[in-house]
């Protein structure tokens, strides 16, 4: 690389991860392929070039004022409209506010009672993801199409109603919210036998929060 390229680079770069090999500078977790990531582009003096330091976009969004304007970001033209919109909101300072709103909505949702007293089975549903558009509420990663996911119904004040919050089945199991047999969950019968076996195995391998199971 030449000095010219070095001086031309913008301080940030946005893209969808090309592989699952990078890890996030903020949370140290791997950034899975196709996840929306943002790099702080550093000048690397040792080889006269630039070196991107990747972060989950969601991790960058945790800290205010990291990015001052869209002008600082390379790669915007390839982003999906929704992600570009979130970037814009983040820079305007309105993304954090709307996240708080969602969190407040979640906190007033009563936690399902252990032991399955009453009818709490209607609040959960298990299925194979119909698209790759849902984001796991636990790990903030995309849920790949076909991956087994679990919905919990959460209040969303912005829509004045309930909407499903999706999680990877392995992320959901770590929460230990579901205490009945898995086969009693809505949608279970629609899973393939192979998926049912895998989920049963996950449930056995995931006794609690000490579990270190990774999705990738
Ligand atoms: Zn991260
Ligand atoms: Zn997850």
């Amino acid at each position: 690389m030449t000095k010219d390229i070095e001086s031309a680079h913008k301080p940030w770069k946005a893209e969808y991860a090309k592989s699952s090999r990078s890890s996030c500078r903020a949370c140290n977790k791997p950034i899975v392929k196709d996840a929306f990531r943002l790099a702080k582009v550093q000048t690397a003096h040792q080889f006269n070039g630039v070196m991107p330091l990747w972060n989950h976009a969601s991790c960058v969004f945790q800290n205010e004022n990291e990015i001052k304007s869209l002008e600082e970001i390379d790669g915007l033209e390839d982003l999906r409209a929704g992600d570009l919109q979130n970037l814009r909101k983040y820079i305007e300072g309105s993304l954090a506010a709307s996240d708080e709103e969602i969190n407040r909505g979640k906190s007033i949702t009563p936690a399902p009672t252990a032991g399955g007293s009453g009818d709490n089975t209607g609040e959960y549903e298990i299925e194979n993801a119909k698209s790759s558009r849902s984001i796991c509420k636990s790990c903030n990663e995309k849920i790949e199409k076909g991956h087994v996911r679990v919905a919990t119904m959460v209040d969303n004040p912005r829509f004045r109603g309930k909407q499903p919050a999706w999680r990877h089945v392995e992320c959901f199991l770590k929460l230990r919210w579901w205490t009945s047999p898995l086969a009693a969950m809505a949608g279970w019968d629609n899973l393939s036998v192979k998926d049912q076996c895998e989920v049963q195995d996950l449930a056995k391998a995931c006794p609690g929060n000490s579990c270190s199971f990774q999705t990738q």
Side-chain angles (χ1 to χ4, degrees):
M1 280 193 238
T2 69
K3 286 270 181 200
D4 290 345
I5 291 169
E6 182 191 326
S7 55
H9 78 80
K10 293 187 177 182
W12 289 88
K13 185 172 165 57
E15 66 167 38
Y16 300 105
K18 297 186 188 78
S19 73
S20 298
R21 286 193 301 273
S22 63
S23 49
C24 173
R25 295 279 158 163
C27 69
N28 288 323
K29 297 209 180 89
I31 301 173
V32 297
K33 188 169 186 291
D34 297 327
F36 179 24
R37 64 180 183 178
L38 288 165
K40 215 175 242 177
V41 182
Q42 303 276 0
T43 305
H45 296 288
Q46 61 272 42
F47 53 88
N48 268 344
V50 295
M51 188 174 65
L53 300 179
W54 293 108
N55 297 274
H56 295 110
S58 54
C59 287
V60 173
F61 293 164
Q62 303 291 316
N63 298 309
E64 281 173 51
N65 298 323
E66 287 264 29
I67 308 173
K68 304 281 189 294
S69 104
L70 287 178
E71 299 293 301
E72 297 182 359
I73 312 168
D74 231 350
L76 294 177
E77 57 281 1
D78 296 324
L79 294 184
R80 292 181 206 113
D83 291 327
L84 190 57
Q85 185 68 25
N86 278 342
L87 260 181
R88 203 170 271 141
K89 280 195 206 160
Y90 163 74
I91 288 163
E92 288 165 2
S94 58
L95 184 67
S98 61
D99 269 357
E100 265 168 38
E101 214 171 77
I102 292 167
N103 288 336
R104 267 204 304 278
K106 259 199 301 210
S107 64
I108 56 172
T109 307
T113 47
S117 65
D119 179 20
N120 65 1
T121 50
E123 298 285 74
Y124 297 93
E125 187 157 359
I126 191 164
E127 66 167 34
N128 296 99
K130 296 183 185 74
S131 72
S132 298
R133 285 193 299 272
S134 58
I135 302 291
C136 173
K137 289 284 172 193
S138 285
C139 69
N140 284 324
E141 297 293 346
K142 193 170 74 169
I143 302 173
E144 297 291 337
K145 186 176 180 191
H147 196 102
V148 179
R149 65 180 182 177
V150 175
T152 53
M153 299 308 289
V154 294
D155 285 315
N156 186 323
R158 278 188 298 182
F159 299 118
R160 273 184 245 123
K162 295 201 167 207
Q163 62 166 189
W166 294 106
R167 285 183 175 80
H168 295 108
V169 64
E170 53 271 43
C171 294
F172 173 79
L173 289 170
K174 281 188 226 170
L175 297 171
R176 305 180 74 180
W177 287 353
W178 184 261
T179 52
S180 309
L182 284 162
M185 196 180 294
W188 178 261
D189 293 338
N190 296 329
L191 294 180
S192 69
V193 173
K194 178 174 161 288
D195 283 338
Q196 289 180 351
C197 286
E198 282 177 9
V199 174
Q200 295 277 20
D201 283 348
L202 280 172
K204 271 182 252 161
C206 258
N209 293 330
S210 59
C211 167
S212 59
F213 186 85
Q214 296 283 330
T215 56
Q216 289 263 336

